[in-house]
Amino acid sequence: MSKLFKENKSGWETIDESKKKEIFKFADDYMDFLNKSKTEREIISSAETLARENGFKSLNEYSELHPGDKVYYVNRAKNIYLAVIGKNDIEDGINIIGAHADSPRLDLKPSPLFQKGDLTYFNTHYYGGIKKYQWTTIPLAIHGVIVKENGEKITVSIGENDNDPVFVITDLLPHLAKDQMQKKLTEAIEGEKLDLVIGNIPSNKCDENDNPKELNSLDLNSQENKLNLKVKDDNIEQKKCTEKIKENIMKILNEKYDITEEDFESSELEIVPAFKARTAGLDRSMVAAYGQDDKSCVYSSLRAMLSIENPERTAVCLFSDKEEIGSMGNTGMQSHVFDTFIAELLNKLRVNRPNLLDEVFCNSRMLSADVDAAMDPLYAEVSDITNAGFISHGVSVNKYTGARGKYDSSDANAEYVAYVRKIFNENNVKYQFSELGKVDQGGGGTIAYILANKGVDVIDCGIPVLSMHSPYELTSKFDIYSAFEAYKAFFNN
Ligand code: MN
Ligand code: MN
C-alpha cells in the first residue's frame, strides 16, 4: 500500500515472524547471487544458469514457440532477454520488466601497466558516476576477460577468494595532506590518480649499470631533482632499471595467463570492490554490497520471472548493459537487438507480419526496474520529505525521473500509473511513490525512456538504496522482497 495515504509506516511493522523469515531467506539467496556476480558478464552468466535450471531454453533451441514456452537470448555475453510465452495473442502486448546489469566501477585502460618509482600500477578509466575519493584505500578485485588475437578468451577473477591478493589505490596521509584537504571533493582525488598498486618486486637485482649515472648520484630530497625525475619519466634510458618491477609483473601474468602486454589492448578488465555482500545491522535488516544499483532489481525481477508458469500475457524480463554511461552500444538498451529478439518471438510463433512489432510495443507495458535514492536521514536536506522514497517502506515507484525540470525523463501517463497502483493494491504489494530528490538538487535517468519511445507504457519501479553508486551500497531486505512481489504481480496481470 502507498505510504502517504494509507499506511505511512515501515514495512517491518506490517509483517509477522514467518514473513520475516521468508524475507531473510530471500535476502540470503540474493547475497549468494551477488557474491557470484559482480560484473555484467558474470550477472548474465549467473542469470542464464538460473534460467536453464528453471526450464528456459535458448532461442535457437526452439524451431517454433507455443504458450508456456520459456526462452532466452544472450547478446554478446553482456545482455540477456528472457520470455515466457503467454496464452493471449502476442499482438495484445507483452509485460516487460527491465533492469541493468552494469554498475559504476573502474576499467583498465588499453595500455594499463606502468611503473613509477618502486611500484607498478594498473592505470584506470572510471566507468559511470563515481565519487572518486570513495575508491581509494579499499580492497579491490579485478574481474573480466582478455581475448587473444586467435580468439582465445581468458576469464580473470582475482581478489574474491580469501587467499587471493587484493589491490589498493593509495591516498595521501593526513599528515601531509594540507594542500589536498583544501581542495573540493571533486578535485581532491584526480581521475588520473586512480591507479591500482599491483606490485613492487623487481624481476632481478637492479645494479648500478642499469641506471644512467646521474640517477644514482641524485639527491632525491632536492626539489629540483624531483622535478628532473618527473621530466625524465619518459626517457627510455632511465627505464632500464625502473621497469624491472613491471617486467616481473608481466612475467607473472605471462606464466599464469599466457599473455603479453599487448593482449591488454583486447581486454575488458573491471576493477570492483573486493567486499563480499553481507547482512548489515544488529537487527540483520539490511544488505550491504557493491553494485546493488542495479543488481537488487536484476535479482528480484529474475526471481519473479522464474516463478511464472503459463501467464496470460507474454512476460519478458531483460537485463541490459551500459545503463550507467547512457545505454548506448550494441549491448545497451538503445541497441536494436531487443527489437530483433521480439521479432524472432513473432517469427517462431508464426504470427509475424509487417508492422506487427510496432503494434506489439504499442500494446505493451513495462516496469523499468531500477533503484531509487532512499531518503538518508543524515542528508535529509536534499530530499523533499513528502515525496521521498523511504528505506523499508516498500518498492518505490517513480512516475518520472530526469533532472532539473524533468529533463531527460520518462514521465508515465496517469492512466498507466492508475493501472499499476491497482495491480499492486490487489496483490497486497507494499509500495511507495517517490521522486529522486529536491527539484534543483539533481536527478538521474534509467532505461525507461528508451522503451517508452517505442510506444510501451513504462514506469520506474525499484528498490530504495542508501549510498547509491558507492563501493558499498545499503538496501533493506524488506524492500528487496517487496520488489520481488511487485514484479511477480505485474507479470501475472
Ligand atoms: Mn540504476
Ligand atoms: Mn546508477
Side-chain angles (χ1 to χ4, degrees):
M1 272 170 275
S2 168
K3 71 168 186 287
L4 265 184
F5 305 102
K6 288 177 186 149
E7 205 169 52
N8 186 10
K9 60 178 167 187
S10 163
W12 296 114
E13 296 177 62
T14 65
I15 55 164
D16 58 17
E17 257 325 291
S18 80
K19 180 77 181 250
K20 188 174 152 196
K21 258 191 198 144
E22 203 178 316
I23 290 173
F24 277 25
K25 169 73 176 72
F26 192 88
D28 286 344
D29 296 341
Y30 167 54
M31 288 186 278
D32 273 355
F33 179 82
L34 288 180
N35 287 331
K36 283 184 204 128
S37 353
K38 281 194 175 172
T39 64
E40 65 283 5
R41 284 177 189 267
E42 291 164 355
I43 291 273
I44 299 313
S45 153
S46 297
E48 183 182 7
T49 305
L50 278 172
R52 291 202 76 91
E53 284 169 10
N54 284 271
F56 282 75
K57 289 193 280 183
S58 86
L59 189 60
N60 57 28
E61 290 173 69
Y62 286 102
S63 53
E64 268 186 33
L65 285 167
H66 301 281
D69 283 345
K70 299 174 174 186
V71 56
Y72 71 90
Y73 179 75
V74 172
N75 174 25
R76 294 174 170 87
K78 296 180 188 178
N79 174 205
I80 192 170
Y81 316 116
L82 305 120
V84 182
I85 306 300
K87 291 179 231 163
N88 296 1
D89 288 343
I90 196 163
E91 46 262 70
D92 295 343
I94 55 184
N95 289 347
I96 309 168
I97 298 184
H100 65 92
D102 61 320
S103 298
R105 59 175 193 254
L106 308 175
D107 286 339
L108 288 201
K109 290 192 182 191
S111 180
L113 198 59
F114 73 96
Q115 180 173 337
K116 204 165 193 161
D118 286 328
L119 293 171
T120 286
Y121 297 88
F122 271 150
N123 204 339
T124 71
H125 191 137
Y126 55 91
Y127 172 99
I130 62 162
K131 288 166 117 178
K132 285 169 277 185
Y133 70 88
Q134 293 178 334
W135 289 74
T136 65
T137 66
I138 58 168
L140 297 166
I142 303 176
H143 290 235
V145 295
I146 302 166
V147 184
K148 301 214 286 192
E149 266 187 2
N150 64 8
E152 187 195 338
K153 195 190 279 185
I154 300 150
T155 304
V156 177
S157 172
I158 315 169
E160 297 298 339
N161 296 325
D162 285 345
N163 54 351
D164 276 359
V166 292
F167 308 92
V168 174
I169 295 168
T170 57
D171 191 5
L172 267 179
L173 60 170
H175 319 62
L176 296 179
K178 180 176 154 283
D179 293 344
Q180 185 197 40
M181 299 290 255
Q182 303 307 315
K183 290 182 185 168
K184 293 198 288 186
L185 271 182
T186 49
E187 290 158 11
I189 303 290
E190 294 159 38
E192 286 299 351
K193 282 201 169 67
L194 291 180
D195 298 326
L196 243 61
V197 176
I198 56 166
N200 97 321
I201 302 178
S203 53
N204 51 30
K205 208 170 153 257
C206 201
D207 60 43
E208 265 189 29
N209 300 330
D210 285 330
N211 276 330
K213 273 198 189 80
E214 55 208 288
L215 193 69
N216 290 319
S217 57
L218 226 51
D219 169 12
L220 283 169
N221 287 323
S222 120
Q223 190 59 32
E224 193 189 339
N225 283 339
K226 269 188 200 159
L227 286 174
N228 281 342
L229 254 179
K230 215 169 169 225
V231 173
K232 281 183 189 142
D233 224 18
D234 298 324
N235 182 327
I236 299 296
E237 272 292 284
Q238 193 197 313
K239 285 189 177 169
K240 275 185 190 161
C241 177
T242 56
E243 295 253 295
K244 288 209 166 178
I245 300 165
K246 175 179 159 182
E247 201 178 280
N248 189 42
I249 289 291
M250 224 29 256
K251 214 175 98 204
I252 292 168
L253 289 170
N254 179 267
E255 276 162 16
K256 185 159 184 200
Y257 299 113
D258 189 27
I259 55 161
T260 64
E261 197 176 345
E262 222 183 318
D263 290 325
F264 281 117
E265 290 170 355
S266 49
S267 70
E268 285 177 348
L269 294 170
E270 304 178 4
I271 311 306
V272 293
F275 307 132
K276 294 227 176 314
R278 302 278 295 266
T279 279
L282 280 173
D283 56 8
R284 312 186 73 84
S285 57
M286 292 164 283
V287 172
Y290 160 72
Q292 298 201 69
D293 174 8
D294 191 27
K295 295 173 189 75
S296 56
C297 294
V298 164
Y299 186 74
S300 44
S301 59
L302 178 62
R303 282 286 299 269
M305 187 66 178
L306 299 180
S307 74
I308 301 175
E309 297 289 343
N310 300 305
E312 301 290 321
R313 279 161 72 91
T314 294
V316 169
C317 188
L318 66 92
F319 306 137
S320 69
D321 181 29
K322 300 284 184 281
E323 192 275 344
E324 295 296 355
I325 57 168
S327 294
M328 66 284 285
N330 56 17
T331 56
M333 197 64 238
Q334 296 199 45
S335 94
H336 287 231
V337 182
F338 180 61
D339 303 41
T340 309
F341 171 73
I342 302 297
E344 269 301 291
L345 297 188
L346 301 178
N347 290 335
K348 294 198 172 181
L349 284 163
R350 308 278 176 241
V351 294
N352 210 354
R353 57 180 153 77
N355 298 327
L356 181 59
L357 183 64
D358 291 335
E359 204 182 306
V360 169
F361 281 136
C362 289
N363 290 327
S364 292
R365 307 175 191 130
M366 181 188 187
L367 294 182
S368 164
D370 206 341
V371 294
D372 190 24
M375 202 281 292
D376 186 332
L378 300 182
Y379 297 93
E381 66 274 13
V382 302
S383 299
D384 167 15
I385 293 301
T386 49
N387 285 284
F390 291 87
I391 194 139
S392 296
H393 281 234
V395 71
S396 207
V397 185
N398 292 134
K399 183 177 182 295
Y400 47 82
T401 55
R404 296 178 185 86
K406 297 193 180 181
Y407 261 87
D408 297 322
S409 105
S410 171
D411 195 343
N413 300 308
E415 292 85 346
Y416 181 56
V417 182
Y419 166 82
V420 171
R421 277 175 58 201
K422 184 166 171 278
I423 288 178
F424 288 176
N425 282 326
E426 280 173 1
N427 289 276
N428 222 6
V429 173
K430 182 150 167 67
Y431 66 95
Q432 49 183 331
F433 269 83
S434 67
E435 273 196 345
L436 214 47
K438 279 189 178 164
V439 287
D440 288 336
Q441 196 58 239
T446 65
I447 59 170
Y449 75 95
I450 301 162
L451 278 293
N453 287 350
K454 296 185 203 291
V456 179
D457 267 318
V458 189
I459 193 161
D460 280 292
C461 174
I463 292 156
V465 177
L466 288 166
S467 316
M468 194 198 292
H469 281 210
S470 78
Y472 218 39
E473 301 170 322
L474 204 56
T475 56
S476 156
K477 291 180 180 176
F478 180 88
D479 296 333
I480 293 161
Y481 196 80
S482 147
F484 163 66
E485 291 184 313
Y487 300 152
K488 218 167 50 173
F490 178 80
F491 275 143
N492 285 316
N493 273 271

